[in-house]
Amino acid sequence: MRSSKILAFSGSGRRDSYNQKLVNIAADGAKASGAEVTVINLADFSLPLFDEDLEREAGNPANAAKLKELFIEHDGFLIACPEYNSSITPLLKNTIDWVSRKVGDEVPLVAYKGKAACIMSTSPGGLGGLRGLIHVRSILSSIGVIVLPDQIAVSGAGAGFDENGQLKDEKKQAGIAGLGANLAGFLEKHIS
Ligand SMILES: Cc1cc2nc3c(=O)[nH]c(=O)nc-3n(C[C@H](O)[C@H](O)[C@H](O)COP(=O)(O)O)c2cc1C
């Protein structure tokens, strides 16, 4: 049987993003469980704000096509998303929207349907971005992604990471790595 393939990214393009650090930890957990993991930074795939007129007149941007190809090639996603005003970031929503668009005779939602995801967040605040995850889960579920029940929101991000990008709190570090391992384990059982 082949190894499962996981695409890992955060909903922040900020330099030194806490959520990008968080998803790196989960990615290492998935790798340690035997998955093949590709970590990307959405800042490397800049996209215009989705607009149907733009789509009709100029077609799919090259970065949207590249991202869609990456999504299609992978069995599951590890996603760490910051909470902006209690919800998903515009970067993650815009990415999801571009990648959701059907091009030519593609199967609708080909990049999402039947895939699995594990979501997490971190924030300097006390709730760790928990309220945003409700929306991330809802959006992904609506487009056919199986979002695993376990999720973690890590509070106190400002002082939470060491200079190597690891969480100083050992329990939190193990919890986030465990999310990656969970997704790898789920995919191993379910990919053909
Ligand atoms: C527009 C905006 C809205 C924000 N709203 C929230 C919020 O509702 N809850 C929260 O915990 N943090 C909020 N924050 C703070 C972010 O959690 C913080 O900027 C965090 O570092 C973003 O994640 P990143 O480090 O991965 O980029 C907000 C930040 C911005 C820019």
Side-chain angles (χ1 to χ4, degrees), residues 10 12-14 16-20 82-87 122-129 131:
S10 82
S12 171
R14 191 176 74 80
D16 297 328
S17 157
Y18 299 126
N19 284 274
Q20 193 71 29
E83 175 181 274
Y84 277 9
N85 297 316
S86 312
S87 190
T122 186
S123 144
L127 295 179
R131 294 167 302 180

Side-chain angles (χ1 to χ4, degrees), residues 4-54:
S4 60
K5 293 183 75 176
I6 294 174
L7 186 65
F9 54 94
S10 82
S12 171
R14 191 176 74 80
R15 277 193 306 278
D16 297 328
S17 157
Y18 299 126
N19 284 274
Q20 193 71 29
K21 289 179 185 165
L22 198 72
V23 87
N24 278 335
I25 298 168
D28 286 343
K31 282 181 209 160
S33 294
E36 222 179 281
V37 185
T38 310
V39 181
I40 59 169
N41 189 325
L42 293 183
D44 297 328
F45 298 86
S46 75
L47 286 167
L49 186 59
F50 183 83
D51 178 308
E52 282 192 85
D53 289 335
L54 177 67

